[in-house]
Amino acid sequence: MNRLSLFQRSRQGSYKLTSQRPLLTLSLLLTVLLTVFILGACLGNTWESPLQVLQTIIGINGDSAFVIGTLRLPRLVLAGLAGAGLSMAGAILQGLIRNPLAAPDVLGMTGGASIAAVAFIALTGGAIGIGWLPVAAMFGALLCSGLVYVLAWKKGVAPTRLVLIGVGMSAGASSLTMLLLAFSSITSASKAYIWLTGSVYGATWNQVLSLLPWTVLCGGIAWLNARHLNIHTLGEGIATGIGAAVQRQRLWLLLIAVGLAGSSVALVGAVGFIGLIGPHIARRMVGTSYGVLLPASAVIGALLLLLADVAGRTMFQPLDVPAGVFTAAIGAPFFIMLLARQRRM
């Protein structure tokens, strides 16, 4: 299992391309992502030309430097990073559990972050700076995921047991979140509702710099472990038979998924379905080898959240609709379609 199915080792020890299609597909996806990014920076209450956007990016201050560089670009970059992180986390979980319905939402990661974030907003009442909200959300995601893993442990962690306990934990987290909202003030509840919907409104470069290391580091580690993910997709019996340390690798990869999903949710809120949709689209476009699937999932996840955010701030002006509304509108029918397909199989 090579990390990249694009390359095959020859007898002389060098590597050569075995198929150019995945590479061309990735190049096309990156081109589309860059195009959407530039157009997203152009669109808003006022139209800014692509030339002004490029000048701002390379550091040439113009008349629209504040609008583009301070208001729009951080929002676009944050949406791209969060979408990439959620989509890669979904791809990892789907490979580990061998279930096409697996996603950060299902295994309690998003639910744990939601409880922690709502509790932070409702219980502190503004006494603690809002800058600590991402820390609280990420801690909640890690705590809930760890609890799911411990409860699923029985001489190892079976994928089916992990999913069932994760679904139960997500339902319990949702109930606790609603209970916290019911006992909180109107002001706190409105802030919490915006976070729960999922939005990159008011993004800053500090938030981008907070999320960037997590996405790059965890995404890079996941890609380096693509060979292990490929093995896990074959089934636990085969993976054990060829000498893979299944339980240790599963725990390590779950921690990587928690890092990707938790950091993303902590900064953009409970954006749903990106972790479910992105890997499925990527799988159809580049195949199932994780060396190619992970970067493709990252690009598609970034593209989906970028499109959702651009649509939210341009289609209903002067209203700024949270991106999570659009991802849910797309993701819910997609989830139902997957359920129907699983039922027919």
Side-chain angles (χ1 to χ4, degrees):
M1 290 274 181
N2 289 331
R3 186 173 296 121
L4 274 173
S5 63
L6 287 172
F7 297 94
Q8 184 179 40
R9 191 167 187 173
S10 65
R11 294 179 180 178
Q12 290 77 22
S14 60
Y15 286 84
K16 61 180 181 180
L17 279 170
T18 58
S19 173
Q20 291 187 349
R21 182 178 176 182
L23 185 61
L24 292 174
T25 303
L26 276 174
S27 301
L28 178 61
L29 286 172
L30 286 170
T31 302
V32 173
L33 179 63
L34 180 61
T35 303
V36 171
F37 184 87
I38 298 297
L39 287 176
C42 294
L43 294 170
N45 291 326
T46 58
W47 166 263
E48 308 294 344
S49 70
L51 179 60
Q52 290 174 316
V53 172
L54 292 174
Q55 287 177 338
T56 304
I57 291 174
I58 63 177
I60 299 177
N61 294 323
D63 297 334
S64 304
F66 175 77
V67 173
I68 297 173
T70 305
L71 300 181
R72 295 183 186 175
L73 287 182
R75 183 169 180 165
L76 292 167
V77 175
L78 187 66
L81 289 173
L86 288 170
S87 188
M88 282 191 289
I92 293 170
L93 294 174
Q94 288 170 16
L96 283 181
I97 301 172
R98 304 189 307 280
N99 189 324
L101 302 179
D105 319 59
V106 175
L107 292 185
M109 296 177 187
T110 303
S114 299
I115 290 178
V118 172
F120 180 88
I121 295 171
L123 301 180
T124 61
I128 303 176
I130 198 68
W132 289 96
L133 176 61
V135 178
M138 194 165 179
F139 176 76
L142 181 61
L143 184 64
C144 195
S145 301
L147 186 58
V148 169
Y149 192 86
V150 170
L151 292 175
W153 181 271
K154 187 178 180 182
K155 297 180 180 179
V157 175
T160 303
R161 192 161 55 245
L162 194 66
V163 170
L164 291 175
I165 294 176
V167 169
M169 189 66 69
S170 296
S174 178
S175 300
L176 286 175
T177 301
M178 292 301 106
L179 185 64
L180 284 170
L181 286 172
F183 284 98
S184 60
S185 65
I186 296 176
T187 303
S188 298
S190 63
K191 292 179 181 178
Y193 272 121
I194 293 173
W195 188 91
L196 288 171
T197 306
S199 175
V200 290
Y201 178 79
T204 64
W205 286 115
N206 286 333
Q207 290 177 317
V208 171
L209 293 176
S210 297
L211 181 57
L212 181 63
W214 287 98
T215 306
V216 173
L217 180 62
C218 293
I221 294 173
W223 186 81
L224 290 174
N225 284 272
R227 178 171 57 89
H228 300 312
L229 279 166
N230 288 332
I231 293 173
H232 278 272
T233 58
L234 300 175
E236 187 169 347
I238 296 176
T240 304
I242 62 178
V246 175
Q247 297 302 329
R248 187 174 71 245
Q249 292 172 5
R250 186 172 289 160
L251 175 60
W252 175 238
L253 290 166
L254 279 172
L255 288 175
I256 295 172
V258 170
L260 286 167
S263 59
S264 299
V265 171
L267 286 164
V268 303
V271 177
F273 294 107
I274 294 290
L276 176 69
I277 302 173
H280 279 279
I281 298 175
R283 202 172 282 112
R284 285 185 171 274
M285 296 184 73
V286 299
T288 58
S289 177
Y290 270 85
V292 187
L293 180 61
L294 281 173
S297 297
V299 175
I300 291 172
L303 185 58
L304 288 173
L305 194 49
L306 271 176
L307 288 171
D309 180 58
V310 172
R313 65 182 172 86
T314 58
M315 290 179 64
F316 302 97
Q317 292 181 3
L319 296 177
D320 196 323
V321 180
V325 173
F326 290 90
T327 60
I330 298 171
F334 189 86
F335 186 75
I336 294 171
M337 182 190 71
L338 286 176
L339 281 174
R341 182 178 297 173
Q342 287 292 104
R343 187 176 180 180
R344 289 195 300 267
M345 292 176 63

